[in-house]
């Protein structure tokens, strides 16, 4: 009983923290900041594993919401091991194996105009040790290491807000003679109920290793 009470208190505290942008035990992919230019960071990421799904919805926001639901079902037990994978607070403390999902949630435009939504998995797991999604639309993929230019911002992550920050990122790269590779992407670190001005959002784009 005491353990259940302590768990409930912890969940309430973590839920309250998430409202003001405090993240509890959420692992983020390791990276190295190799350069900073006019408010953007050039980061180097190693190989990561992500659960991802491709969505062809009417617009970016609808695609993000549908992709999020599919991936949420996977991390909340719709997988071969029925493991519960804790995401951003508030979360339920399960008695089965717990896999703390990392931040951020990533979105990017697919080659055919659809959207790819990703949840990054904890670094201690491999493709062999993660459970298999039951939904065939959800897949586990290895994300290669890369060098990216990142612009961090707070507030709304509406499609218009993201597009405005992406344009700002690309303008900054052009002014500094850095060539982007491919399309911009967006990462979101906080749940929707977080106070908007405390949300951590990022737009990023791959750049050549020589940009570092």
């Amino acid at each position: 009983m005491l353990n259940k009470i302590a768990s409930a208190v912890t969940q309430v505290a973590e839920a309250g923290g998430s409202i003001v942008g405090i993240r509890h035990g959420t692992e983020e992919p390791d990276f190295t900041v190799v350069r900073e230019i006019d408010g953007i960071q050039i980061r180097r990421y190693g190989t990561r594993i992500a659960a991802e799904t491709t969505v062809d919805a009417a617009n970016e926001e609808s695609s993000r919401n549908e992709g999020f639901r599919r991936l949420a079902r996977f991390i909340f037990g719709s997988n071969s091991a029925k493991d519960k994978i804790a995401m951003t607070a508030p979360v339920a403390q399960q008695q089965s194996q717990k896999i703390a999902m990392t931040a951020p949630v990533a979105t990017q435009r697919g080659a055919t105009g659809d959207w790819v939504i990703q949840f990054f998995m904890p670094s201690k797991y491999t493709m062999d040790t993660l459970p298999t999604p039951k939904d065939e639309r959800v897949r586990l993929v290895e994300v290669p290491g890369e060098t990216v230019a990142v612009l961090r911002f707070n507030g709304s992550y509406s499609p218009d807000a993201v597009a405005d920050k992406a344009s700002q990122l690309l303008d900054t790269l052009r002014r500094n003679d850095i060539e982007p590779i491919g399309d911009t992407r967006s990462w979101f670190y906080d749940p929707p109920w977080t106070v908007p001005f405390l949300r951590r959002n990022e737009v990023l784009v791959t750049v050549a290793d020589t940009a570092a």
Side-chain angles (χ1 to χ4, degrees):
M1 175 63 71
L2 289 178
N3 287 339
K4 290 183 178 179
I5 294 173
S7 177
V9 171
T10 298
Q11 291 172 43
V12 170
E14 292 182 355
S18 71
I19 293 173
V20 293
I22 299 174
R23 302 168 197 90
H24 294 267
T26 304
E27 180 186 350
E28 299 178 15
D30 287 334
F31 65 86
T32 301
V33 177
V34 293
R35 188 180 175 189
E36 296 196 36
I37 311 165
D38 297 342
I40 69 171
Q41 290 184 337
I42 306 297
R43 300 177 187 169
R44 178 63 189 173
Y45 283 89
T47 303
R48 296 143 288 164
I49 295 175
E52 72 173 28
T53 187
T54 301
V55 184
D56 182 12
N59 54 58
E60 177 182 353
E61 194 163 16
S62 297
S63 295
R64 186 189 306 160
N65 292 338
E66 171 59 23
F68 190 94
R69 284 192 291 268
R70 292 181 193 174
L71 296 174
R73 286 193 291 269
F74 162 62
I75 66 172
F76 288 129
S78 181
N79 56 65
S80 59
K82 296 185 179 179
D83 285 341
K84 307 287 173 45
I85 306 173
M87 209 180 70
T88 309
V91 298
Q93 300 298 307
Q94 299 87 12
Q95 293 184 2
S96 57
Q97 180 183 3
K98 301 177 185 68
I99 307 173
M101 198 201 80
T102 62
V105 175
T107 69
Q108 66 185 86
R109 199 69 178 268
T112 58
D114 43 21
W115 291 89
V116 178
I117 317 298
Q118 291 181 327
F119 285 176
F120 292 110
M121 299 290 102
S123 58
K124 67 179 181 179
Y125 290 92
T126 67
M127 294 289 282
D128 292 329
T129 57
L130 282 166
T132 302
K134 288 186 176 180
D135 189 336
E136 294 181 353
R137 297 171 299 179
V138 176
R139 55 197 175 271
L140 297 174
V141 298
E142 188 172 82
V143 181
E146 60 182 341
T147 299
V148 294
V150 182
L151 174 63
R152 179 172 173 171
F153 66 100
N154 303 107
S156 172
Y157 45 58
S158 68
D160 287 344
V162 170
D164 179 67
K165 294 301 179 180
S167 178
Q168 183 179 334
L169 171 64
L170 295 175
D171 287 344
T172 300
L173 293 178
R174 278 192 288 269
R175 288 198 308 270
N176 288 275
D177 298 320
I178 298 175
E179 186 71 25
I181 301 173
D183 295 327
T184 57
R185 292 167 274 164
S186 46
W187 286 357
F188 310 108
Y189 289 79
D190 297 294
W193 54 83
T194 301
V195 177
F197 74 89
L198 293 175
R199 290 175 185 160
R200 177 183 172 185
N201 313 311
E202 293 176 340
V203 290
L204 62 151
V205 68
T206 303
V207 296
D209 291 343
T210 53

